[in-house]
Amino acid sequence: MTQELVMDIAANDLSHQTAEIMRRFNDVFQRHDPTALAELVAEDCVIENTVPAPDGARHAGKAACVGLWSAIATQPGTSFDIEETFVAGERATIRWRYFMADGNSLRGVNLMRVAGGRIVEAMGYVKG
């Protein structure tokens, strides 16, 4: 089933809220400080992670999602280069490049959804 999103004034207000949540979410990984995650993640959040290939793992619930993102954010010697964040209403797309401690990198994208001012869904994909 195809879902169509039409932007209007209400969606524009929602886009601003979603953009702010994504800015704070991205800051967690830029600063290697996951303390903000508890207030950004909903109780019913679901992540479909990029690993293991090919389908990734599913993480359900606030504790599981905060735990996974905290581990990624605090991984020694790593960094994220946020290449672009695009927001439309309750949805956001984050295009990023992840630099691993060994100097290698990979590119990926997260498809995010926000509801009630918190992240409720994240689906991660990587190139390759």
Side-chain angles (χ1 to χ4, degrees):
M1 175 180 198
T2 301
Q3 185 177 15
E4 185 175 292
L5 176 66
V6 177
M7 297 298 291
D8 60 16
I9 292 172
N12 188 43
D13 290 344
L14 184 55
S15 292
H16 287 292
Q17 179 186 29
T18 300
E20 176 59 17
I21 292 166
M22 291 301 104
R23 184 196 61 73
R24 292 174 58 210
F25 175 76
N26 287 335
D27 281 351
V28 164
F29 299 94
Q30 299 302 300
R31 296 179 180 162
H32 302 279
D33 180 3
T35 54
L37 288 172
E39 63 189 50
L40 295 173
V41 177
E43 291 295 330
D44 59 347
C45 184
V46 174
I47 297 172
E48 290 185 10
N49 199 12
T50 60
V51 293
D55 296 324
R58 182 177 170 90
H59 304 267
K62 182 175 184 166
C65 294
V66 167
L68 175 65
W69 280 328
S70 293
I72 294 169
T74 59
Q75 188 69 33
T78 65
S79 66
F80 275 93
D81 183 9
I82 305 300
E83 296 178 335
E84 179 181 60
T85 302
F86 176 82
V87 175
E90 68 180 8
R91 299 197 178 270
T93 301
I94 304 168
R95 189 168 48 92
W96 47 262
R97 187 168 185 175
Y98 178 64
F99 294 90
M100 295 169 265
D102 65 6
N104 290 315
S105 69
L106 57 93
R107 277 205 159 92
V109 64
N110 283 10
L111 305 178
M112 311 288 285
R113 188 167 63 86
V114 171
R118 295 186 187 246
I119 299 166
V120 295
E121 181 179 63
M123 298 165 56
Y125 300 91
V126 295
K127 287 183 75 166

